C-alpha cells in the first residue's frame, strides 16, 4: 500500500482562534481540502485574499478516486502554479479505443490538432493531485500569502447571517466557533455542509453497480483508454482500463443490479474477475477497491447567501467521462474572480448570481452527457440493448455510426451560452470562440496564449488598434496585441479570426470570451466590461 495514505500532510495544531473570547472573523473559509477546495483556496491566496481551509481529515484521500484530468483543468492549474507537477507525474494520453466483444470497433483521438501546450488528458491518482496542491499551499505560505490549512477541524454546525457565516468546529482538543465573510463548501458528495443547511440534490440515481480496482502490475498495454462492451471476461456488462503512474492500472467492471457490495469488494471475489480479464499468468497486487453506482444529480442552486457550493458538494455525475473533479476545478475558476471583485467593492453582489447561472448550466450539460452515457452503457430494455449492439457493429465499418457510440463522453469545458455576462456576438468569426466560450490555446513563439492571458480582464486585439489600458468603474483591462503575421502555424487565425481580417476580444479573468467585434469601439467595449462584471 502506498505510504502516502498514512502520512499526515496538515496535522492538527491548536490555533489561537480556539482560545479567543469571541469568534474570530475571517474573510473566506473553504470547507474541504480535496482538489476543489484546495484549488479555490490557492486562487484566493494568489490574489491576496485571506483564506482558511478546514478539513476533518489530515491526509490525502484514500485510493486513486478521480484519475483522469482534462486539458482545461490543467490549464487552470497552470495559473495556480500546480499544472507542471501534474503533467510531469501523470500519464499523458489522447487516444481511446472501443471494443465490442473481443473486436476493436474504432478508436478516437481527443486532441487531433496541434498547437496546444497541454494534452487532452493525463491520468494521475487523486492523492498525488492533492499532494501537489498542498505543496503549492506551503509555497504560498513561505511567500507570505494569506492562506492556512487546518487538519482535523470538522465543521459541526453552520449559521447564516446577512453579513457573515458562523461555524462551529470540532477538533481533537474540543470545539470552537469562528466566522467568515464568505464560505465555500467543497466537502464532497456527502457534504455535511449541504445537510446542515437542509439542502438536497435533485436528479437520478441509477441501479447499476461498478467495481473499481486499482491494480499494481507490470503490463504492456499501451497508454490509451480502452473500453469494452460485452467482453468475453465480463459477459453482458462493460469494462474500462486506464494506465496510471507507478505501475498502477485502473480497472472498472460493471457488476449489474442487486449485488452485495461488501461481498463483491472482498479480494477472494475481486481477484477471479481480474484474472478473467488479465489472464491467469499475470501477477498483480490490489491497491484499492471500491464499488459505485451512477448518480446524475445536483443542488437546485449552488449559492445560498454567503455559503457557496462547488464540486461534488454541488453536483454529481457518473465517473465515465471524467466530469467530477474536472468540473469542480472549473467551478472554482468561475467563482473566485467574481468573489474577489465583490469583496473589493468593484462589482455588485449580484455578480455571484452569474456563478449559479453559469455553473448550473455546466452541471446540467455534464448531467445530460453522463445520463446519455449511462443509458448507452447500461441499456434498460432488450430493445435498447439490440439498438446499442447494432450501433457498435456498424461502427466497426462505417464512420457515420461512431459518433453514436457512447462509452462516456469525455470532459470538455462548458460554453456559457446565454450567460447574462455575455455581450451580443459582433464578429463573423469561429464558432468555438463565440461569447461564453473558453479560449482555446495558441502557440506564440516560445510561449502560449493562455499563459499571456493570465487571470485578469484582457483586451485581445488581432490586427486591430485599441488602447493599451482601459479603466471602467474600477475594472482595469490591459491589451494583448497580436498579429497573424507572427502566426506561422495559422492557429491564431483559425481559432480566433476565421474569415475576419481583424478582431478585438474582451476576455474574462477565467479566460472565457465576454465580447468580440471586428474593431475597437470604445463605448461598446466599456458597456461590455460593465456587463461582464454584473453592472448592466
Amino acid at each position: 500500500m502506498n505510504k502516502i495514505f498514512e502520512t499526515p500532510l496538515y496535522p492538527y495544531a491548536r490555533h489561537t482562534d480556539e482560545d479567543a473570547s469571541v469568534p474570530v472573523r475571517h474573510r473566506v473559509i473553504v470547507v474541504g481540502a480535496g482538489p476543489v477546495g484546495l484549488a479555490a483556496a490557492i486562487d484566493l491566496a494568489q490574489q491576496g485574499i485571506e483564506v482558511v481551509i478546514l478539513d476533518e481529515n489530515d491526509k490525502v484521500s484514500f485510493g486513486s478516486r478521480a484519475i483522469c484530468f482534462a486539458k482545461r483543468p490543467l490549464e487552470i492549474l497552470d495559473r495556480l502554479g500546480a499544472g507542471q507537477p501534474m503533467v510531469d507525474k501523470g500519464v499523458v494520453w489522447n487516444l481511446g479505443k472501443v471494443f465490442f466483444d473481443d473486436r476493436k470497433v474504432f478508436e478516437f483521438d481527443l486532441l487531433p490538432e496541434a498547437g496546444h501546450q497541454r494534452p487532452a488528458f493525463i491520468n494521475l491518482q487523486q492523492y498525488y493531485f492533492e499532494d501537489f496542491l498542498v505543496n503549492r499551499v506551503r509555497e504560498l505560505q513561505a511567500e507570505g500569502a494569506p492562506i492556512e490549512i487546518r487538519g482535523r477541524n470538522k465543521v459541526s454546525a453552520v449559521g447564516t447571517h446577512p453579513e457573515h457565516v458562523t461555524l462551529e468546529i470540532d477538533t481533537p482538543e474540543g470545539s470552537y466557533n469562528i466566522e467568515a465573510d464568505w464560505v465555500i463548501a467543497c466537502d464532497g458528495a456527502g457534504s455535511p455542509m449541504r445537510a446542515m443547511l437542509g439542502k438536497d440534490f435533485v436528479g437520478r440515481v441509477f441501479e447499476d453497480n461498478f467495481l473499481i480496482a486499482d491494480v499494481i502490475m507490470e503490463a504492456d498495454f499501451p497508454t490509451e483508454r480502452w473500453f469494452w462492451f460485452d467482453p468475453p471476461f465480463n459477459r453482458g456488462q462493460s469494462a474500462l482500463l486506464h494506465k496510471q503512474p507507478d505501475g498502477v492500472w485502473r480497472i472498472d467492471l460493471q457488476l449489474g443490479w442487486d449485488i452485495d457490495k461488501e461481498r463483491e469488494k472482498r479480494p477472494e471475489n475481486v481477484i477471479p474477475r481480474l484474472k478473467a480479464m488479465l489472464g491467469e499468468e499475470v501477477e498483480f497486487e490490489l491497491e484499492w477497491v471500491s464499488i459505485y453506482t451512477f448518480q446524475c444529480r445536483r443542488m437546485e442552486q449552488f449559492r445560498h447567501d454567503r455559503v457557496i457550493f462547488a464540486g461534488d458538494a454541488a453536483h454529481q455525475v457518473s465517473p465515465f467521462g471524467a466530469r467530477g473533479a474536472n468540473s469542480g476545478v472549473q467551478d472554482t475558476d468561475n467563482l473566485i474572480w467574481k468573489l474577489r471583485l465583490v469583496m473589493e467593492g468593484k462589482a455588485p453582489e449580484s455578480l455571484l448570481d452569474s456563478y449559479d447561472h453559469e455553473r448550473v448550466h455546466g452541471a446540467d450539460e455534464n448531467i445530460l452527457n453522463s445520463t446519455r452515457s449511462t443509458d448507452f452503457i447500461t441499456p434498460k430494455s432488450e430493445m435498447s440493448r439490440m439498438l446499442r449492439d447494432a450501433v457498435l457493429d456498424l461502427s466497426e465499418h462505417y464512420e457515420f455510426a461512431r459518433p453514436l457510440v457512447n462509452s462516456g463522453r469525455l470532459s470538455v469545458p462548458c460554453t456559457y451560452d446565454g450567460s447574462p455576462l455575455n455581450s451580443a456576438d459582433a464578429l463573423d468569426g469561429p464558432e468555438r470562440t463565440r461569447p461564453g466560450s473558453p479560449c482555446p490555446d495558441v502557440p506564440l513563439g516560445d510561449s502560449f496564449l493562455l499563459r499571456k492571458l493570465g487571470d485578469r480582464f484582457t483586451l485581445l486585439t488581432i490586427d486591430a488598434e485599441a488602447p493599451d489600458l482601459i479603466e471602467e468603474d474600477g475594472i482595469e483591462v490591459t491589451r494583448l496585441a497580436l498579429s497573424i503575421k507572427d502566426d506561422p502555424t495559422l492557429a491564431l487565425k483559425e481559432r480566433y479570426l476565421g474569415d475576419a481580417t481583424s478582431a478585438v476580444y474582451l476576455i474574462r479573468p477565467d479566460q472565457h470570451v465576454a465580447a468580440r467585434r471586428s474593431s475597437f469601439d470604445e463605448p461598446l467595449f466599456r458597456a461590455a466590461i460593465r456587463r461582464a462584471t454584473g453592472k448592466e
Side-chain angles (χ1 to χ4, degrees):
M1 185 62 67
N2 195 319
K3 295 295 184 184
I4 196 171
F5 298 135
E6 304 170 6
T7 307
L9 291 183
Y10 37 93
Y12 169 75
R14 189 173 184 86
H15 196 276
T16 55
D17 284 4
E18 298 178 54
D19 302 314
S21 57
V22 296
V24 176
R25 175 79 64 89
H26 295 278
R27 299 199 73 193
V28 181
I29 289 177
V30 173
V31 181
V36 177
L38 289 167
I42 290 167
D43 204 349
L44 286 162
Q46 287 189 164
Q47 301 187 60
I49 297 174
E50 186 247 350
V51 57
V52 177
I53 311 162
L54 303 176
D55 195 84
E56 62 179 295
N57 197 0
D58 59 4
K59 306 177 184 69
V60 296
S61 299
F62 186 79
S64 293
R65 299 179 181 266
I67 66 163
C68 296
F69 297 101
K71 178 177 177 292
R72 181 58 196 148
L74 291 174
E75 293 164 346
I76 295 167
L77 289 163
D78 279 336
R79 184 172 56 77
L80 301 182
Q84 196 58 48
M86 294 273 291
V87 176
D88 289 343
K89 181 65 178 179
V91 173
V92 174
W93 66 278
N94 294 325
L95 190 66
K97 291 180 180 177
V98 177
F99 300 86
F100 182 33
D101 195 349
D102 58 358
R103 301 160 10 237
K104 185 185 81 171
V105 290
F106 76 98
E107 61 184 53
F108 54 88
D109 187 341
L110 291 169
L111 191 60
E113 66 179 11
H116 295 265
Q117 183 177 12
R118 292 308 181 200
F121 274 90
I122 64 166
N123 287 349
L124 181 72
Q125 295 92 319
Q126 181 173 318
Y127 49 78
Y128 281 127
F129 187 5
E130 293 178 8
D131 192 29
F132 292 146
L133 290 177
V134 171
N135 289 341
R136 180 60 181 150
V137 169
R138 299 305 185 208
E139 289 175 358
L140 288 167
Q141 289 175 327
E143 296 166 4
I147 183 171
E148 63 172 299
I149 181 169
R150 301 182 189 177
R152 301 186 69 188
N153 274 239
K154 179 182 179 181
V155 178
S156 57
V158 57
T160 58
H161 307 275
E163 300 299 325
H164 70 282
V165 181
T166 58
L167 299 173
E168 183 176 333
I169 314 299
D170 292 340
T171 78
E173 296 183 359
S175 299
Y176 70 103
N177 293 331
I178 52 176
E179 298 177 350
D181 294 337
W182 298 90
V183 170
I184 305 175
C186 308
D187 52 341
S191 183
M193 287 289 294
R194 192 177 63 237
M196 284 184 278
L197 289 178
K199 307 303 177 182
D200 203 354
F201 282 138
V202 294
R204 294 173 62 185
V205 177
F206 296 84
E207 295 186 66
D208 259 294
N209 296 281
F210 290 77
L211 172 76
I212 291 178
D214 279 351
V215 175
I216 302 172
M217 65 178 177
E218 296 298 324
D220 58 0
F221 299 115
T223 305
E224 300 167 351
R225 179 188 195 261
W226 284 11
F227 191 98
W228 288 265
F229 292 95
D230 193 21
F233 54 82
N234 196 28
R235 278 295 178 208
Q237 310 287 4
S238 63
L240 178 67
L241 177 69
H242 272 288
K243 183 180 181 179
Q244 302 178 68
D246 304 333
V248 179
W249 295 79
R250 162 66 57 83
I251 297 171
D252 289 50
L253 294 172
Q254 185 180 355
L255 299 181
W257 298 17
D258 300 323
I259 65 167
D260 184 332
K261 294 182 180 180
E262 292 306 312
R263 180 176 179 276
E264 290 290 350
K265 288 193 293 185
R266 295 172 189 162
E268 63 266 27
N269 294 313
V270 174
I271 289 172
R273 291 183 181 277
L274 298 179
K275 285 188 173 181
M277 177 182 184
L278 301 171
E280 288 289 337
E281 73 286 353
V282 175
E283 295 184 1
F284 59 84
E285 175 187 344
L286 290 178
E287 180 174 80
W288 178 63
V289 174
S290 183
I291 288 179
Y292 64 87
T293 55
F294 282 164
Q295 300 188 43
C296 295
R297 308 187 297 166
R298 67 165 174 84
M299 298 177 72
E300 292 189 86
Q301 291 179 284
F302 296 170
R303 180 193 172 202
H304 295 272
D305 299 319
R306 287 178 172 257
V307 179
I308 304 170
F309 289 81
D312 285 351
H315 46 75
Q316 289 178 272
V317 291
S318 67
F320 291 127
R323 296 173 181 274
N326 286 304
S327 63
V329 171
Q330 290 170 81
D331 286 346
T332 66
D333 191 47
N334 184 287
L335 171 62
I336 299 306
W337 69 270
K338 298 173 180 177
L339 183 58
R340 175 177 60 83
L341 291 181
V342 170
M343 295 177 73
E344 291 175 349
K346 295 179 180 179
E349 190 173 313
S350 59
L351 177 62
L352 295 174
D353 294 334
S354 72
Y355 167 74
D356 218 50
H357 184 283
E358 293 178 343
R359 292 314 297 164
V360 165
H361 174 71
D364 284 344
E365 185 176 284
N366 282 329
I367 287 169
L368 175 63
N369 280 290
S370 192
T371 300
R372 287 172 174 171
S373 297
T374 303
D375 288 339
F376 194 86
I377 293 167
T378 62
K380 304 304 183 288
S381 68
E382 187 56 31
M383 183 60 70
S384 296
R385 182 176 295 276
M386 289 173 62
L387 177 61
R388 185 202 69 180
D389 291 353
V391 168
L392 290 167
D393 279 328
L394 287 167
S395 69
E396 184 175 7
H397 303 289
Y398 301 102
E399 189 172 349
F400 82 88
R402 292 167 191 166
L404 303 176
V405 176
N406 193 336
S407 62
R409 295 275 189 261
L410 286 152
S411 176
V412 294
C414 176
T415 294
Y416 302 132
D417 287 318
S419 168
L421 306 189
N422 294 347
S423 293
D425 194 358
L427 179 73
D428 185 18
E431 182 75 1
R432 67 192 291 184
T433 44
R434 66 189 184 275
S437 301
C439 290
D441 213 355
V442 171
L444 298 175
D446 59 354
S447 187
F448 285 84
L449 175 61
L450 297 186
R451 284 195 175 275
K452 291 182 178 293
L453 291 178
D455 59 0
R456 62 191 185 278
F457 273 100
T458 302
L459 199 66
L460 171 64
T461 63
I462 306 172
D463 292 321
E465 294 300 320
D468 290 333
L469 177 68
I470 303 174
E471 193 276 331
E472 176 62 27
D473 197 17
I475 304 298
E476 288 191 352
V477 183
T478 56
R479 180 190 180 198
L480 174 61
L482 301 177
S483 172
I484 60 170
K485 297 174 184 176
D486 305 317
D487 179 29
T489 68
L490 297 182
L492 182 65
K493 175 176 173 55
E494 187 273 328
R495 295 167 198 175
Y496 287 87
L497 280 185
D499 294 331
T501 57
S502 64
V504 180
Y505 282 77
L506 177 63
I507 310 297
R508 303 177 352 177
D510 59 0
Q511 300 178 345
H512 279 251
V513 176
R516 64 178 187 175
R517 307 185 68 84
S518 59
S519 61
F520 179 72
D521 183 306
E522 184 167 347
L524 291 176
F525 272 99
R526 287 188 178 276
I529 295 166
R530 293 194 300 273
R531 188 172 298 110
T533 50
K535 298 171 185 173
E536 284 202 357

